Amino acid sequence: NTVDLFAQYGINVWKLPANEDKEQLAKEAIVKTQAFFTGLGIPERLRDVGIPHEMLAEIASSVIRGGQPIQGLKTLDTNDILAIYEMAW
């Protein structure tokens, strides 16, 4: 479960209290991670590094080699990847 993984990440990396609700831990871990990278001055969005919106579909298609979905915590196809890129743009 992704929430469990982010909760463990929050406990192990950010030393969040293990007795909190898992969903709250996961959200806190994400907020702390974003604040960390922002503090370093690292761009947060694809547009911040100059990637034009019109290229998102092309980039998403290039990730899927041979038409095979990406296997991981969740299987991702081109539409899933494009949705992620849209949120990151």
Side-chain angles (χ1 to χ4, degrees):
N1 180 321
T2 307
V3 170
D4 292 334
L5 292 173
F6 274 103
Q8 283 302 310
Y9 164 73
I11 292 166
N12 295 326
V13 173
W14 297 111
K15 307 300 183 209
L16 298 176
N19 60 347
E20 282 189 30
D21 173 70
K22 285 182 183 181
E23 193 153 322
Q24 183 60 35
L25 281 169
K27 287 178 182 178
E28 268 186 75
I30 292 167
V31 168
K32 285 188 169 290
T33 301
Q34 183 179 20
F36 173 77
F37 285 113
T38 299
L40 293 175
I42 295 174
E44 293 183 34
R45 303 183 191 289
L46 295 175
R47 74 185 99 180
D48 297 340
V49 293
I51 296 176
H53 188 266
E54 307 81 56
M55 288 188 64
L56 297 182
E58 180 183 338
I59 297 168
S61 294
S62 72
V63 171
I64 302 290
R65 294 193 175 97
Q68 297 298 316
I70 296 174
Q71 301 295 319
L73 293 174
K74 179 182 177 188
T75 301
L76 302 175
D77 63 18
T78 304
N79 292 327
D80 297 320
I81 294 167
L82 181 56
I84 292 167
Y85 288 168
E86 289 283 352
M87 289 184 282
W89 192 81

